[in-house]
Amino acid sequence: MSANERPSGQQQTGRTAASATADSAFLRACRREPVSHTPVWFMRQAGRSLPEYHKVREGIAMLDSCTRPDLITEITLQPVRRHHVDAAVYFSDIVVPLKAIGLDLDIKPGVGPVIADPIRARADLDRLRPLDPDDVKYVTEAVGMLTGELGATPLIGFAGAPFTLASYLIEGGPSRNHERTKALMYGDPELWADLLDRLADIAAAFLKVQIEAGASAVQLFDSWVGALSPADYRARVMPASTKVFDAVAGYGVPRIHYGVGTGELLGLLGEAGADVVGVDWRVPLDEAARRVGPGKALQGNLDPAVLFAPRQAVEAKTDEVLDAARGLEGHIFNLGHGVLPTTDPDALTRLVEYVHTRTAR
């Protein structure tokens, strides 16, 4: 990234930032337009795999680091400097807006989000008040700082999808089987619908703050929705996800939808309102394109565990992804899930360079 692409220290308005990034390879691929090379970014690129991340986070709790604009900016920029990825992703966590509205929760190392008082009855909905932009002023400040630093490199904002947020709130933390979540979904469909509707409003408000501050694209993470059948997704979850996408449609920024283990749901993820559908490593991209149908770009989908193999094997598996992506309307190269904590950062840097070189047009 050259100096004239990154006007250090200058904050930009959302409109200025959007103009600066409009012709980037990442946004062109999202819009299914011709690109000079396949753009690359990685889920969880900002964080735990980088030694510089651990250095700046030392002694600082995760949720505290998500409310400090200086730390958010530094951590978000670290993988852009090191790996030369085509987009930055805002450093935060999907439970940040829930914490911002006053829920008693924490992110415990090695565990994940833990909710002190789970939501399991109608009276509990009263704790889910609307998110006001003033609740997350640090987001607006951090995005402004970031767009000034990033220049022509797009910033991706994100939020947790209603189903995944609901799962954490109902279970009280991560869950393997989502039994309490499904029990509520099947046993009290009216409460379930009202819960997801409130979470959709919170997620949409969080995305709006990021977009209005300058984010060039947004991704809705539905990490656990692969636990559902297509019929249950369509009837019980998709309306809330669609509400989120519809709420930000007027901004004109690309909307990405991603979930883990969602091979059977790929068409529905696009139908919910996404412009780009994220694909994990279980379904080849050419098959994913068939399931999603025309009019959508795809994102993915190298297995993150491949990065632990020798370089020659990584390149061979990368070739498989790129070959499967040949002929797609638009393709953003990514992993099929987030960067694993013990990944060698140099392997990521080499991967970005390899994809850029291999796909240069």
Side-chain angles (χ1 to χ4, degrees), residues 24-40:
S24 64
F26 169 75
L27 289 181
R28 289 183 65 86
C30 289
R31 298 192 300 261
R32 297 174 286 119
E33 297 172 356
V35 292
S36 58
H37 63 271
T38 297
V40 186

Side-chain angles (χ1 to χ4, degrees), residues 66-81:
C66 292
T67 61
R68 287 181 46 177
D70 59 334
L71 270 182
I72 295 168
T73 300
E74 170 58 22
I75 293 169
T76 301
L77 290 173
Q78 285 175 350
V80 180
R81 298 189 195 113

Side-chain angles (χ1 to χ4, degrees), residues 248-272:
V248 299
Y251 291 100
V253 303
R255 299 160 297 170
I256 309 168
H257 203 0
Y258 168 77
V260 185
T262 52
E264 299 301 319
L265 305 178
L266 288 173
L268 295 172
L269 294 183
E271 192 177 331

Side-chain angles (χ1 to χ4, degrees), residues 1-353:
M1 186 179 303
S2 63
N4 63 345
E5 290 177 313
R6 185 188 294 169
S8 180
Q10 298 177 15
Q11 293 196 14
Q12 301 186 46
T13 65
R15 182 174 297 179
T16 302
S19 176
T21 62
D23 202 41
S24 64
F26 169 75
L27 289 181
R28 289 183 65 86
C30 289
R31 298 192 300 261
R32 297 174 286 119
E33 297 172 356
V35 292
S36 58
H37 63 271
T38 297
V40 186
W41 74 280
F42 305 115
M43 290 177 283
R44 290 183 180 160
Q45 67 185 20
R48 54 196 183 172
S49 66
L50 300 180
E52 55 265 41
Y53 166 79
H54 292 287
K55 184 176 180 180
V56 299
R57 273 276 326 274
E58 190 173 359
I60 303 172
M62 176 62 181
L63 284 174
D64 290 339
S65 67
C66 292
T67 61
R68 287 181 46 177
D70 59 334
L71 270 182
I72 295 168
T73 300
E74 170 58 22
I75 293 169
T76 301
L77 290 173
Q78 285 175 350
V80 180
R81 298 189 195 113
R82 179 187 274 262
H83 304 314
H84 307 292
V85 285
D86 293 279
V89 59
Y90 181 78
F91 175 74
S92 186
D93 189 271
I94 63 171
V95 299
V96 164
L98 301 180
K99 181 73 171 180
I101 64 171
L103 293 190
D104 186 0
L105 60 85
D106 196 11
I107 299 176
K108 294 190 175 181
V111 178
V114 176
I115 314 300
D117 188 9
I119 290 180
R120 295 172 184 166
R122 178 158 293 278
D124 296 330
L125 289 183
D126 292 340
R127 288 185 274 143
L128 292 178
R129 68 167 176 83
L131 178 75
D132 188 275
D134 286 343
D135 295 323
V136 287
K137 288 181 179 179
Y138 47 85
V139 174
T140 299
E141 183 178 349
V143 172
M145 293 167 65
L146 278 164
T147 54
E149 291 288 334
L150 287 165
T153 300
L155 175 67
I156 304 168
F158 75 91
F163 175 83
T164 292
L165 293 178
S167 177
Y168 280 119
L169 290 175
I170 296 166
E171 302 288 344
S175 172
R176 181 182 297 273
N177 299 310
H178 309 282
E179 57 267 35
R180 291 183 179 274
T181 303
K182 291 184 177 181
L184 178 59
M185 182 175 72
Y186 297 132
D188 194 340
E190 289 187 7
L191 174 57
W192 173 258
D194 290 345
L195 171 59
L196 259 65
D197 191 64
R198 291 202 185 196
L199 291 172
D201 288 338
I202 291 168
F206 194 53
L207 291 180
K208 287 179 179 180
V209 168
Q210 295 171 76
I211 295 169
E212 290 177 3
S216 298
V218 290
Q219 176 160 304
L220 192 65
F221 281 90
D222 214 346
S223 305
W224 306 132
V225 78
L228 297 182
S229 69
D232 281 340
Y233 177 83
R234 179 182 288 280
R236 306 172 191 270
V237 173
M238 188 168 148
S241 294
T242 297
K243 185 178 186 181
V244 178
F245 285 123
D246 286 350
V248 299
Y251 291 100
V253 303
R255 299 160 297 170
I256 309 168
H257 203 0
Y258 168 77
V260 185
T262 52
E264 299 301 319
L265 305 178
L266 288 173
L268 295 172
L269 294 183
E271 192 177 331
D275 305 297
V276 182
V277 176
V279 184
D280 76 9
W281 66 93
R282 296 171 177 87
V283 180
L285 288 176
D286 49 357
E287 170 60 18
R290 187 190 68 78
R291 297 183 187 187
V292 171
K296 310 286 182 183
L298 296 185
Q299 179 174 279
N301 67 338
L302 185 71
D303 184 341
V306 167
L307 288 163
F308 292 80
R311 181 172 183 170
Q312 185 175 3
V314 173
E315 292 179 355
K317 296 300 289 184
T318 301
D319 286 342
E320 290 180 16
V321 172
L322 294 173
D323 289 344
R326 188 178 293 122
L328 296 184
E329 295 183 66
H331 177 223
I332 299 101
F333 189 95
N334 207 314
L335 303 179
H337 197 6
V339 175
L340 297 172
T342 55
T343 303
D344 178 2
D346 291 341
L348 290 167
T349 303
R350 290 193 297 267
L351 178 57
V352 174
E353 182 181 11

